[in-house]
Tab-separated table of all heavy atoms in Angstrom:
chain	number	residue	atom	x	y	z
A	66	ILE	N	-20.648	15.769	-14.685
A	66	ILE	CA	-21.652	16.793	-14.416
A	66	ILE	C	-21.922	17.583	-15.700
A	66	ILE	O	-21.006	17.906	-16.448
A	66	ILE	CB	-21.170	17.745	-13.306
A	66	ILE	CG1	-20.892	16.965	-12.021
A	66	ILE	CG2	-22.190	18.849	-13.055
A	66	ILE	CD1	-20.252	17.807	-10.936
A	67	GLY	N	-23.161	17.894	-15.928
A	67	GLY	CA	-23.497	18.728	-17.069
A	67	GLY	C	-24.314	17.993	-18.119
A	67	GLY	O	-24.486	16.768	-18.061
A	68	PRO	N	-24.810	18.719	-19.089
A	68	PRO	CA	-25.614	18.100	-20.156
A	68	PRO	C	-24.737	17.289	-21.094
A	68	PRO	O	-23.500	17.399	-21.084
A	68	PRO	CB	-26.222	19.312	-20.866
A	68	PRO	CG	-25.244	20.414	-20.642
A	68	PRO	CD	-24.658	20.176	-19.272
A	69	ASN	N	-25.369	16.459	-21.879
A	69	ASN	CA	-24.648	15.645	-22.853
A	69	ASN	C	-24.470	16.430	-24.145
A	69	ASN	O	-25.380	16.544	-24.964
A	69	ASN	CB	-25.406	14.344	-23.120
A	69	ASN	CG	-25.417	13.423	-21.928
A	69	ASN	OD1	-24.488	13.438	-21.125
A	69	ASN	ND2	-26.466	12.625	-21.783
A	70	THR	N	-23.279	16.985	-24.297
A	70	THR	CA	-22.901	17.674	-25.526
A	70	THR	C	-21.706	16.956	-26.147
A	70	THR	O	-21.071	16.113	-25.505
A	70	THR	CB	-22.550	19.146	-25.239
A	70	THR	OG1	-21.427	19.187	-24.343
A	70	THR	CG2	-23.730	19.878	-24.596
A	71	ASP	N	-21.389	17.291	-27.381
A	71	ASP	CA	-20.262	16.634	-28.055
A	71	ASP	C	-18.952	16.848	-27.298
A	71	ASP	O	-18.151	15.923	-27.142
A	71	ASP	CB	-20.139	17.152	-29.489
A	71	ASP	CG	-21.275	16.663	-30.387
A	71	ASP	OD1	-21.952	15.690	-29.992
A	71	ASP	OD2	-21.474	17.251	-31.470
A	72	SER	N	-18.719	18.068	-26.855
A	72	SER	CA	-17.458	18.366	-26.171
A	72	SER	C	-17.374	17.654	-24.819
A	72	SER	O	-16.327	17.094	-24.463
A	72	SER	CB	-17.312	19.881	-25.982
A	72	SER	OG	-18.408	20.401	-25.226
A	73	LEU	N	-18.464	17.661	-24.046
A	73	LEU	CA	-18.447	16.990	-22.752
A	73	LEU	C	-18.374	15.470	-22.899
A	73	LEU	O	-17.694	14.796	-22.124
A	73	LEU	CB	-19.685	17.375	-21.936
A	73	LEU	CG	-19.663	18.766	-21.294
A	73	LEU	CD1	-20.965	19.048	-20.561
A	73	LEU	CD2	-18.486	18.884	-20.329
A	74	CYS	N	-19.043	14.923	-23.900
A	74	CYS	CA	-18.972	13.480	-24.120
A	74	CYS	C	-17.541	13.054	-24.456
A	74	CYS	O	-17.051	12.024	-23.974
A	74	CYS	CB	-19.920	13.071	-25.253
A	74	CYS	SG	-21.678	13.187	-24.822
A	75	LEU	N	-16.860	13.857	-25.270
A	75	LEU	CA	-15.479	13.539	-25.636
A	75	LEU	C	-14.539	13.692	-24.449
A	75	LEU	O	-13.626	12.873	-24.260
A	75	LEU	CB	-15.036	14.443	-26.786
A	75	LEU	CG	-13.645	14.159	-27.366
A	75	LEU	CD1	-13.586	12.757	-27.952
A	75	LEU	CD2	-13.291	15.205	-28.424
A	76	SER	N	-14.744	14.730	-23.649
A	76	SER	CA	-13.880	14.926	-22.476
A	76	SER	C	-14.062	13.793	-21.465
A	76	SER	O	-13.089	13.347	-20.846
A	76	SER	CB	-14.186	16.276	-21.821
A	76	SER	OG	-15.505	16.301	-21.292
A	77	ARG	N	-15.273	13.307	-21.304
A	77	ARG	CA	-15.499	12.179	-20.400
A	77	ARG	C	-14.795	10.923	-20.890
A	77	ARG	O	-14.249	10.147	-20.099
A	77	ARG	CB	-16.998	11.929	-20.254
A	77	ARG	CG	-17.730	13.043	-19.515
A	77	ARG	CD	-19.215	13.019	-19.777
A	77	ARG	NE	-19.878	14.175	-19.172
A	77	ARG	CZ	-21.107	14.572	-19.484
A	77	ARG	NH1	-21.812	13.915	-20.400
A	77	ARG	NH2	-21.631	15.635	-18.890
A	78	MET	N	-14.815	10.712	-22.198
A	78	MET	CA	-14.122	9.561	-22.764
A	78	MET	C	-12.631	9.623	-22.459
A	78	MET	O	-11.999	8.604	-22.131
A	78	MET	CB	-14.351	9.511	-24.282
A	78	MET	CG	-13.720	8.316	-24.977
A	78	MET	SD	-13.836	8.408	-26.785
A	78	MET	CE	-12.471	9.542	-27.131
A	79	TRP	N	-12.035	10.786	-22.516
A	79	TRP	CA	-10.606	10.954	-22.268
A	79	TRP	C	-10.272	10.869	-20.781
A	79	TRP	O	-9.375	10.115	-20.380
A	79	TRP	CB	-10.136	12.298	-22.831
A	79	TRP	CG	-9.675	12.218	-24.252
A	79	TRP	CD1	-10.449	12.261	-25.368
A	79	TRP	CD2	-8.323	12.069	-24.693
A	79	TRP	NE1	-9.668	12.161	-26.486
A	79	TRP	CE2	-8.361	12.046	-26.109
A	79	TRP	CE3	-7.098	11.969	-24.053
A	79	TRP	CZ2	-7.201	11.914	-26.877
A	79	TRP	CZ3	-5.947	11.847	-24.814
A	79	TRP	CH2	-6.012	11.815	-26.209
A	80	PHE	N	-10.960	11.651	-19.966
A	80	PHE	CA	-10.581	11.769	-18.558
A	80	PHE	C	-10.662	10.437	-17.826
A	80	PHE	O	-9.707	10.030	-17.153
A	80	PHE	CB	-11.467	12.799	-17.858
A	80	PHE	CG	-11.170	14.219	-18.254
A	80	PHE	CD1	-12.121	15.212	-18.099
A	80	PHE	CD2	-9.926	14.560	-18.777
A	80	PHE	CE1	-11.848	16.519	-18.469
A	80	PHE	CE2	-9.652	15.868	-19.149
A	80	PHE	CZ	-10.616	16.841	-18.995
A	81	LEU	N	-11.776	9.753	-17.917
A	81	LEU	CA	-11.970	8.540	-17.135
A	81	LEU	C	-10.991	7.439	-17.537
A	81	LEU	O	-10.385	6.793	-16.681
A	81	LEU	CB	-13.413	8.055	-17.284
A	81	LEU	CG	-14.479	8.989	-16.681
A	81	LEU	CD1	-15.876	8.487	-17.011
A	81	LEU	CD2	-14.303	9.097	-15.171
A	82	ASN	N	-10.808	7.213	-18.830
A	82	ASN	CA	-9.920	6.144	-19.281
A	82	ASN	C	-8.449	6.492	-19.060
A	82	ASN	O	-7.653	5.624	-18.665
A	82	ASN	CB	-10.172	5.851	-20.760
A	82	ASN	CG	-11.520	5.196	-21.000
A	82	ASN	OD1	-11.699	4.015	-20.773
A	82	ASN	ND2	-12.476	5.977	-21.480
Side-chain angles (χ1 to χ4, degrees):
I66 301 173
N69 292 331
T70 61
D71 289 343
S72 59
L73 284 178
C74 289
L75 185 62
S76 65
R77 292 161 186 164
M78 182 187 80
W79 270 83
F80 288 158
L81 294 174
N82 291 282

